[in-house]
Amino acid sequence: MQPNSEKMDLVKKLESTIINAELPEFAAGDNVTVHYKIKEGNKQRIQPFQGTVLQRRGSGAIETFTVRKMSSGVGVERIFPVNSPNIDKIVVNRRGKVRRARIFYLRDRTGKKARIKEKRV
Amino acid sequence: MLGIIGKKVGMTSVFSEEGKSIPCTLIQAEPNVVTQLRTMDTDGYRAVQLAAGERKEKNTSAALKGHFAKAKTTPKAYVAEFKNFRADTGEELNLGDEVNVEIFEEGQFVDVIATSKGKGFQGVVKRHGFAGVGGATHGQHNRLRAPGSIGAASYPARVFKGMRMAGRMGGNRTKITNLQIVKVMPEDNVLVVKGAVPGHKGCFVIVER
């Protein structure tokens, strides 16, 4: 028996309780700062991670995004679940103009070539 | 043993309190009706027969129609028996009673039984987890996923019964044990269990504890 629309809505219904609607819109090429909550013992602090969004992947509650930054000459990438309760907030610093949804070509580029044009709205 | 018949809805993930992503499966239990009570006197054991899912009247045999009429319910598609149902509380059920997901609580561990997805005719690597005959050198070729030797030669001069070989895979009754209940949604009669469950979306599953 094929799942009817009502059945799939149950998945959406559960996901709607998880999805964080307060996050700003962002896409590949944008420069963002992710404020991520980190627990150390019983203390909690917020660690910012600033970099370029390489991709957004998946949909619904399981959507994730990849952020890449250069840390003292070494590329560092982190993957965050979009709806993770550990994300305090996401700040979009700069909107990038890119032609594709996944900009993995950025990994092979450094210096002047790794620049992304700013999107004028 | 406590149990319920449900249908697999699909998978998603939820976040735990620590922010960990938990993969989970949604199981919807359509109203389960008690259709028969097995007793010590008549059957020699105690059990409750539950039925769920709608079956068309015209596709139901006269015998089954009579069986469901006894419980004053419409013909059902799927029937399962649970031994010593509610043995812990000693609660008695009657014919025609409805059972819903509230018999389970969050955090409990349950077993889920369903018919696994059919995989068709598969080789030994996928079906039995063989490693294949590997190795790219020493003249080896076209043996990457082969089973290798299936036994000795002139003695025993036959292949032993039960030798694991290629063949039909999947479509078997499969039980996954110790799945934790992440959430109970009584308003939709839905159970959310951690991890994957056998079968395709919309297939009948038995959840028991």
Side-chain angles (χ1 to χ4, degrees), chain B residues 29-163:
Chain B
E30 285 163 10
N32 278 214
V33 182
V34 178
T35 47
Q36 196 173 20
L37 295 164
R38 304 272 188 197
T39 59
M40 271 315 213
D41 300 338
T42 53
D43 308 286
Y45 66 99
R46 283 169 53 81
V48 167
Q49 189 190 73
L50 296 180
E54 289 306 311
R55 186 201 293 265
K56 278 182 186 167
E57 195 91 14
K58 71 177 175 83
N59 295 338
T60 314
S61 68
L64 275 179
K65 268 183 200 165
H67 181 70
F68 290 116
K70 264 190 200 166
K72 294 186 178 61
T73 179
T74 53
K76 301 288 182 212
Y78 197 85
V79 175
E81 226 174 65
F82 301 92
K83 266 193 178 177
N84 299 324
F85 201 83
R86 280 279 158 93
D88 46 341
T89 58
E91 192 184 320
E92 287 297 321
L93 289 165
N94 299 313
L95 277 184
D97 281 2
E98 286 201 351
V99 177
N100 58 34
V101 293
E102 285 174 35
I103 57 171
F104 295 113
E105 286 165 21
E106 266 179 48
Q108 286 176 339
F109 288 91
V110 293
D111 297 346
V112 178
I113 304 164
T115 306
S116 61
K117 279 183 188 173
K119 305 286 181 198
F121 193 99
Q122 294 297 335
V124 289
V125 173
K126 187 184 178 89
R127 193 173 183 223
H128 299 297
F130 284 18
V133 181
T137 53
H138 299 300
Q140 201 273 100
H141 75 115
N142 72 19
R143 283 284 170 273
L144 199 61
R145 297 176 72 90
S149 165
I150 55 167
S154 49
Y155 183 82
R158 63 190 176 92
V159 175
F160 290 124
K161 273 189 178 174
M163 178 62 58

Side-chain angles (χ1 to χ4, degrees), chain A residues 56-74:
Chain A
R56 289 182 73 148
R57 191 170 185 280
S59 64
I62 57 170
E63 186 177 0
T64 61
F65 64 100
T66 308
V67 181
R68 178 183 174 88
K69 76 167 178 183
M70 296 302 286
S71 177
S72 53
V74 183

